[in-house]
Amino acid sequence: MIQEEMLMVRHFARSIAEDYFLPAAKDVDNNQRIPESHVWAMAENKLFGTSVPSRYGGGGLSHLNKLIIIEEVARCCGSTSMLLTNQDMVINPIVKGGSEEQKISYLLPLTSGELIGAFAITEEGLTSDLQSVYTTAEKMGDHYILNGKKLFVFNAGKADIFIIAASINPTIEKAGITYFIVEKGTPGLTLGREVRKMGVKGMSAREIILENVRIHHSQLVGGEGKGFKILKETLNRTRLNVAAQALGIAQGAYEEVIKYAHKFARTSRESLRFHNTQLMLAEMATEIEAARRLLYYGGEFLDSGSSKAAATASMAKLFCSNVAMKVTTDAVQMLEGSGYTDDYPVERMMRDAKITQIYEGSNLTQKLVIARQVLL
């Protein structure tokens, strides 16, 4: 039954991705903008919050099924898949640490797509150090005053709410990290410069600046100093999301090479070039299938509550993103001059793949997480 459900989810997600996202993928990259129609398509088909409990507006599916959805969307458009992964970064902290009032107020509109969220933790010089946060939250009566600046806040320009990490005491590092829900339009919250990126150009990234932002204590997520614990639990999910995104990009590039090989097979079948193509395709197919098995293994551990979930999430993120980078780079090489142009999507896929090795903790960070787990 589980396998049957997974096949149904894949078929459903693939049909939406191929109908809506694949035809527009080149324009999304060129225009550096995800059209509103993509958000509507996801909202109407209930792709946001599919693994959120149904009482909060979600689909109540396993996280493994969520990974399949992300994989299928990324196979067609890496930028558009970030609508799902980014929304999950906001949904998960509220699911894990939010009060019942917060869950009712925010999860319902987040899962329906009525609200778009943005997650803000990264600061200058701390792109992989998630234990140190210099944005401050000073308590004043029933309120907190937030000051600081965040970098690489994806979808900040369209966000209705932000999950912002601040510290009640930066000298105690992770023990002081606290999450706050900050709504768009809150006085003192402003958008900074837009970041120019190599890939996933459709998903904008902005700086956000916090100058004496006054937040009521009811907007804390999980209480003072609970942010790092919530973050660790969230990353077990979101690192798998990134792994699924990477896998989808790799699968899309592999399929493009297959189509290219078939196109030129008649004239090249006996040539050394065609022989080399076969060998590289065999290697791609093997690496992609190995990545898929590890990813789904991680999804099963997460859904079962296994103690191996954290290590496996990091393993999947590390392996899938490396496979995506290798497969897309090889795809560009195999298409030779054509692959280096935007006549074929593999150059875009190669650029999109790179971010999966960097965000949600760089791959060097993943190796350290894995090492700590295996040495326990």
Side-chain angles (χ1 to χ4, degrees):
M1 179 61 188
I2 293 176
Q3 290 295 326
E4 188 175 318
E5 183 181 73
M6 289 168 63
L7 288 172
M8 290 174 61
V9 168
R10 185 181 298 282
H11 176 75
F12 178 67
R14 179 169 292 196
S15 65
I16 295 166
E18 290 186 346
D19 286 348
Y20 291 98
F21 311 143
L22 182 60
K26 185 175 181 178
D27 288 339
V28 166
D29 187 66
N30 287 341
N31 298 332
Q32 300 188 32
R33 185 181 68 85
I34 297 172
E36 288 299 320
S37 60
H38 285 24
V39 179
W40 297 335
M42 287 190 177
E44 288 175 1
N45 290 284
K46 302 186 185 303
L47 297 188
F48 292 123
T50 51
S51 58
V52 173
S54 57
R55 67 181 180 275
Y56 300 123
L61 295 177
S62 67
H63 198 74
L64 177 54
N65 279 316
K66 173 77 172 207
L67 298 176
I68 292 170
I69 293 170
I70 294 170
E71 177 190 346
E72 288 299 328
V73 175
R75 169 180 164 268
C76 293
C77 181
S79 288
T80 300
S81 70
M82 289 189 70
L83 288 174
L84 293 174
T85 58
N86 192 71
Q87 195 81 331
D88 238 29
M89 279 296 294
V90 176
I91 287 171
N92 275 304
I94 299 175
V95 170
K96 290 293 181 183
S99 65
E100 189 65 18
E101 183 179 350
Q102 288 171 345
K103 290 175 181 178
I104 292 170
S105 297
Y106 294 109
L107 289 181
L108 288 168
L110 283 168
T111 55
S112 70
E114 181 184 343
L115 292 183
I116 298 298
F119 182 80
I121 188 170
T122 303
E123 299 180 3
E124 190 169 3
L126 301 175
T127 53
S128 290
D129 182 6
L130 301 179
Q131 299 190 39
S132 299
V133 170
Y134 296 143
T135 295
T136 58
E138 181 183 359
K139 190 169 185 178
M140 296 185 67
D142 289 338
H143 291 78
Y144 291 81
I145 308 300
L146 275 56
N147 282 284
K149 183 167 76 171
K150 298 294 185 180
L151 310 180
F152 303 113
V153 183
F154 288 105
N155 228 15
K158 293 186 176 182
D160 300 293
I161 69 165
F162 298 81
I163 298 287
I164 295 177
S167 180
I168 56 172
N169 184 351
T171 63
I172 58 176
E173 296 190 332
K174 66 181 181 182
I177 298 174
T178 305
Y179 283 158
F180 296 85
I181 299 173
V182 182
E183 297 184 2
K184 180 179 70 173
T186 301
L189 173 67
T190 57
L191 299 181
R193 71 181 183 92
E194 183 157 0
V195 179
R196 297 174 63 86
K197 309 184 303 302
M198 179 173 73
V200 290
K201 290 188 173 183
M203 174 60 73
S204 69
R206 301 282 294 269
E207 295 178 347
I208 64 169
I209 300 163
L210 305 154
E211 295 180 313
N212 296 322
V213 176
R214 186 179 176 86
I215 301 298
H216 192 263
H217 71 81
S218 63
Q219 297 298 88
L220 268 73
V221 181
E224 287 190 357
K226 302 298 183 182
F228 190 73
K229 180 179 183 294
I230 295 170
L231 177 63
K232 286 200 301 181
E233 294 175 352
T234 296
L235 287 174
N236 291 343
R237 293 176 173 269
T238 57
R239 282 173 175 163
L240 287 175
N241 290 351
V242 172
Q245 181 185 42
L247 176 62
I249 293 169
Q251 181 69 36
Y254 168 72
E255 291 175 7
E256 286 297 322
V257 175
I258 292 278
K259 287 192 288 187
Y260 188 84
H262 281 308
K263 183 177 179 180
F264 293 100
R266 291 180 183 177
T267 57
S268 305
R269 189 172 294 281
E270 303 304 324
S271 70
L272 177 62
R273 177 183 175 188
F274 187 74
H275 177 70
N276 289 341
T277 297
Q278 288 179 304
L279 297 181
M280 291 183 75
L281 280 170
E283 190 171 309
M284 283 181 174
T286 303
E287 291 170 337
I288 288 171
E289 192 56 32
R292 183 170 285 114
R293 292 304 105 196
L294 180 57
L295 173 66
Y296 293 179
Y297 195 42
E300 290 171 0
F301 274 152
L302 183 63
D303 287 326
S304 68
S306 170
S307 60
K308 297 180 181 179
T312 311
S314 287
M315 289 176 185
K317 197 269 187 187
L318 171 68
F319 190 76
C320 290
S321 62
N322 285 343
V323 165
M325 199 68 242
K326 183 178 185 301
V327 166
T328 55
T329 302
D330 285 349
V332 170
Q333 187 70 37
M334 291 166 74
L335 269 62
E336 297 181 337
S338 297
Y340 198 65
T341 71
D342 68 359
D343 291 340
Y344 290 86
V346 291
E347 63 85 25
R348 165 174 51 82
M349 293 170 173
M350 183 181 76
R351 290 186 285 105
D352 287 352
K354 187 61 191 176
I355 190 65
T356 66
Q357 293 182 311
I358 298 171
Y359 66 1
E360 303 297 311
S362 71
N363 279 6
L364 178 58
T365 299
Q366 304 314 311
K367 291 178 182 179
L368 295 173
V369 172
I370 295 163
R372 284 196 293 267
Q373 292 291 323
V374 299
L375 289 170
L376 286 176

